[in-house]
Amino acid sequence: MAWGLPSTASLARFCQKLNRLKPLEKSTMETSLQRCLSTLDLTLLGVGATVGSGLYVLTGTVAKEMAGPAVLVSFSMAAVASLLAALCYVEFGARVPRTGSAYVFTYVSMGELWAFLIGWNVLLEYLLGGASVARASSSYLDAIFSHRIRNFTMAHVGIWQVPFLAQFPDVLAAGIALLASTFVSCGARVSSWLNHVLLAINMLVILFIIILGFVLARPYNWSADEGGFAPFGFSGIMAGAATCFFAFLGFGVIAASSEEAQNPKRAVPMAIIITLSLVAVAYILVSTVLTLIVPWHSLDPDSAPADAFYQRGYSWAGFIVTAGAISAMNTVLLSDIFTLPRIVYAMATDGLFFQVFAHVHPRTQVPVVGILVFGVLMAFLALLLDLQTLVQFRSISILLTFTFVATSIIVLRFHKSPPASSLDPASPVGTEQASAAEPGQLRPALRPYLGFLGGCRPGAAVAWALGVLVSSAITLDCVLVFGGSALHLPPWGYTLTLLLSSIMFLLSLLVLGAHQQQRRQDTFQVPMVPLTPALSILLNVFLMLQLSSLTWLRLSICLLIGFCHPYRTRGVFWLWHLAQQGEPAGAAGVDCHMWQPGKDGTGPAAPQPGTGPGARSHGAAHQFMRTAGGLPALLQLLMGTERLAAPFIQDSLGL
């Protein structure tokens, strides 16, 4: 057919296809991966993924360059924000025990387009995070040999003066990343065993640092003569908190590994809560003793814990800390390489990434292609990029992911419940939900007082309230961060904007709270919804705005590359082609995740997603995905008029 100007109907169908949801499947225990991880395994995996370069490198960097001794406040604020996000991960991890973490969470609640955005963001997050850990581990190893490897490389290669690149290629870091990839490719049980051994060494060293640190503590190092407790003020504390988010990614690894858990509904929530509690205590105590042992301005940002003991004349203690740092950072690296291919695997089985990454090795039962390919990419980035660039980029990626997961919790909580027949017949949840008011509808007790909301189309008030909530949170944070500097608002303008955005934020919370939510007794649910995820969104955006403009620019470029990569672009053009033909979205027998050249006579038909090697048994179910869901704001953005969005507002949130 001729490709002319788009019609209203074809444009609407195109938006529907991009916004379709992944269904919550009836059987969530079926998987081609091996379920071999206990609660203890998941907890140790999460702790190992969290306590690494964040403790041994980031504490010194934040203390010396951002917050001073108030680094402990920065870690505390980052821990609170992480707790809000962790609660959201707990509910999703128990309810959707599938590999993919935030990608899958977004797919089942907000739709395919947003899921791809978050999936690509998470890939970058783990890829760059693993590279940063490899460089940090290399720095500690090189310190044992008096920096001979660094000096040799600089002497024979020279010093690079290129923005964002390291001063010299770190061959040792690249080798460490490749070695870790080899271990992970041997299977989940092998990498889990190695993680346990290294983590045990790390935990003993952390206890050693805390105990000896308090023995050597000098309160004078927090005095005004040394710069005071918060030499960089509140802005420095907040900038430090934004950077410290790099240190709290471990529970994402647990969620991404839920498909390999023996009892995910119980193990995932317990592992996440225990991990975050242990890690927060460790970071706060270590950062406290670190700035008490020596003055904060004398710390070495690259190896602060070991350097502090060296400065006090305890060389033997510095050597022990160095050994613990190497063990810790290798556990983080193993966890990153363990998680990254599993997220790629989830995207590949859904048809949003190359099918070769859905292949699971028949003996080790791991996505070996993804492990090897992304292990090589991680090694390449560790070879070239600067450590500080990697750390800041990962922080903004984590915050963006946390924001989408919190938003997904609100969407899913107000989503129409699945039919009772699709639930487990042994579960009483279906009958409970059938007798109660439908989620997303106005509570019966409030209908006499909020009649104007009851007159809205089903789901429209909830959808628009969520859009207002996110918009007002962004506006409020922008005013707080930039109101007196970049925006140059007068006092009355600052106060008025702050007041209006706060009122809109609170009103949207009240509107959401006035509507019925899903209630489930068989899995953990986030308390005080929508307040808890709304606070998470507000705090995450606030911390994101604390990061540099260059970090935002790098994130924007990487996300743009993700949307333009050949596989995704090809799928988008095929969806548009079907929409122009008037094909109904989600029709049986046609999976629009992939472009199929055989359909238009230009070549053989491509394999259906979910049917390739190693694909999961439920892959065919993606042919029947819901076409509604996602925010009407997206439709407004794409189509520009309320008239076009109207047919889908009533279907938003599944109503």
Side-chain angles (χ1 to χ4, degrees):
M1 63 169 289
W3 291 76
L5 292 176
S7 65
T8 299
S10 62
L11 185 57
R13 283 190 295 269
F14 175 68
C15 293
Q16 279 187 307
K17 290 174 184 290
L18 288 182
N19 228 26
R20 62 184 178 173
L21 301 178
K22 180 185 178 75
L24 290 173
E25 298 153 272
K26 179 179 178 180
S27 176
T28 58
M29 296 299 290
E30 295 180 5
T31 175
S32 57
L33 300 177
Q34 183 181 10
R35 289 196 177 275
C36 60
L37 300 179
S38 64
T39 303
L40 178 61
D41 291 330
L42 290 173
T43 302
L44 295 178
L45 187 64
V47 174
T50 309
V51 183
S53 57
L55 187 143
Y56 291 98
V57 177
L58 206 59
T59 49
T61 301
V62 175
K64 185 169 184 176
E65 300 177 2
M66 299 180 186
V71 60
L72 67 95
V73 181
S74 295
F75 272 115
S76 300
M77 296 190 68
V80 171
S82 296
L83 176 61
L84 296 175
L87 291 174
C88 300
Y89 271 80
V90 168
E91 177 170 338
F92 269 121
R95 188 172 177 181
V96 192
R98 281 296 179 188
T99 287
S101 187
Y103 157 73
V104 171
F105 303 161
T106 307
Y107 210 157
V108 301
S109 58
M110 298 181 66
E112 180 174 307
L113 184 65
W114 297 110
F116 179 81
L117 171 70
I118 289 302
W120 182 254
N121 180 69
V122 171
L123 292 185
L124 295 174
E125 176 184 313
Y126 281 102
L127 191 62
L128 295 171
S132 66
V133 172
R135 282 200 75 95
S137 180
S138 168
S139 177
Y140 267 92
L141 273 173
D142 200 15
I144 296 178
F145 301 102
S146 302
H147 301 289
R148 292 177 183 173
I149 300 175
R150 180 186 66 185
N151 295 335
F152 177 84
T153 306
M154 295 175 101
H156 290 79
V157 178
I159 299 177
W160 296 345
Q161 300 293 339
V162 181
F164 313 135
L165 295 185
Q167 291 184 334
F168 61 94
D170 197 335
V171 180
L172 181 59
I176 292 172
L178 292 175
L179 183 62
S181 301
T182 303
F183 275 107
V184 174
S185 65
C186 295
R189 180 56 61 189
V190 174
S191 56
S192 178
W193 174 83
L194 181 60
N195 177 74
H196 292 176
V197 174
L198 295 175
L199 183 59
I201 298 173
N202 183 26
M203 291 295 99
L204 291 174
V205 172
I206 290 175
L207 287 175
F208 172 79
I209 293 173
I210 294 171
I211 294 172
L212 185 58
F214 276 115
V215 171
L216 300 176
R218 292 175 177 173
Y220 176 78
N221 291 327
W222 284 9
S223 66
D225 294 338
E226 294 291 349
F229 179 74
F232 298 95
F234 180 74
S235 60
I237 293 175
M238 295 309 301
T243 304
C244 287
F245 250 86
F246 172 83
F248 288 96
L249 188 61
F251 57 83
V253 174
I254 298 173
S257 307
S258 59
E259 194 164 334
E260 292 164 277
Q262 295 171 352
N263 184 11
K265 289 190 175 183
R266 182 177 184 274
V268 171
M270 289 187 63
I272 289 177
I273 297 301
I274 295 172
T275 293
L276 190 61
S277 302
L278 291 175
V279 167
V281 171
Y283 278 134
I284 293 170
L285 290 178
V286 170
S287 60
T288 299
V289 301
L290 193 63
T291 52
L292 285 172
I293 297 174
V294 295
W296 60 270
H297 50 76
S298 66
L299 290 170
D300 181 1
D302 295 330
S303 55
D307 178 68
F309 288 109
Y310 281 127
Q311 289 187 41
R312 293 293 299 272
Y314 289 81
S315 300
W316 58 273
F319 181 80
I320 292 176
V321 173
T322 300
I326 294 171
S327 299
M329 284 182 281
N330 279 290
T331 59
V332 176
L333 183 59
L334 286 171
S335 299
D336 283 348
I337 299 177
F338 180 88
T339 306
L340 176 59
R342 283 155 175 81
I343 295 172
V344 180
Y345 163 84
M347 296 179 69
T349 55
D350 288 338
L352 297 184
F353 214 74
F354 300 101
Q355 276 290 300
V356 68
F357 292 106
H359 174 71
V360 176
H361 194 277
R363 185 173 64 84
T364 61
Q365 291 187 286
V366 295
V368 65
V369 176
I371 292 172
L372 297 178
V373 170
F374 284 94
V376 171
L377 286 175
M378 189 179 292
F380 179 74
L381 294 175
L383 180 73
L384 299 178
L385 293 185
D386 174 67
L387 178 61
Q388 186 65 22
T389 299
L390 292 169
V391 167
Q392 288 202 355
F393 189 94
R394 194 180 196 188
S395 292
I396 195 171
S397 297
I398 296 169
L399 289 165
L400 180 62
T401 301
F402 285 179
T403 302
F404 267 84
V405 171
T407 306
S408 298
I409 280 290
I410 299 177
V411 172
L412 191 63
R413 187 65 69 86
F414 291 99
H415 197 285
K416 183 178 179 180
S417 308
S421 59
S422 68
L423 298 171
D424 188 349
S427 174
V429 177
T431 57
E432 291 176 4
Q433 290 179 339
S435 61
E438 288 288 352
Q441 295 182 351
L442 192 64
R443 297 176 186 271
L446 298 177
R447 286 173 185 170
Y449 309 100
L450 300 174
F452 64 96
L453 291 178
C456 297
R457 286 181 295 270
V462 170
W464 289 111
L466 180 56
V468 172
L469 175 74
V470 175
S471 301
S472 59
I474 295 174
T475 304
L476 179 60
D477 286 327
C478 288
V479 173
L480 290 173
V481 176
F482 304 118
S485 56
L487 298 179
H488 301 292
L489 292 177
W492 66 267
Y494 178 88
T495 304
L496 180 61
T497 310
L498 192 65
L499 184 62
L500 288 176
S501 56
S502 300
I503 291 174
M504 295 302 294
F505 183 80
L506 293 175
L507 284 177
S508 59
L509 275 178
L510 292 175
V511 171
L512 288 171
H515 288 77
Q516 188 67 36
Q517 301 180 28
Q518 285 192 34
R519 299 296 181 188
R520 296 174 61 97
Q521 303 298 326
D522 58 335
T523 60
F524 173 87
Q525 286 196 304
V526 179
M528 296 186 295
V529 172
L531 179 61
T532 300
L535 290 177
S536 179
I537 294 170
L538 189 67
L539 188 53
N540 292 338
V541 174
F542 182 81
L543 293 177
M544 288 174 71
L545 295 176
Q546 301 291 331
L547 297 171
S548 67
S549 56
L550 288 177
T551 303
W552 278 90
L553 178 62
R554 287 191 291 268
L555 176 67
S556 302
I557 293 174
C558 289
L559 293 180
L560 182 61
I561 292 173
F563 273 116
C564 294
H565 85 71
Y567 204 66
R568 175 65 191 179
T569 305
R570 190 173 60 177
V572 168
F573 280 126
W574 176 244
L575 289 175
W576 177 252
H577 182 52
L578 291 180
Q580 289 285 75
Q581 291 178 318
E583 173 132 7
V590 178
D591 193 323
C592 302
H593 281 298
M594 290 178 61
W595 174 58
Q596 300 175 354
K599 291 288 184 179
D600 56 6
T602 58
Q608 293 288 334
T611 60
R616 291 183 289 199
S617 58
H618 62 273
H622 300 311
Q623 297 175 353
F624 305 95
M625 287 187 174
R626 304 271 312 269
T627 58
L631 301 178
L634 172 65
L635 298 176
Q636 288 290 81
L637 178 64
L638 292 175
M639 292 183 278
T641 66
E642 185 176 1
R643 181 178 62 84
L644 294 181
F648 314 114
I649 291 178
Q650 61 183 1
D651 292 329
S652 65
L653 304 173
L655 293 172

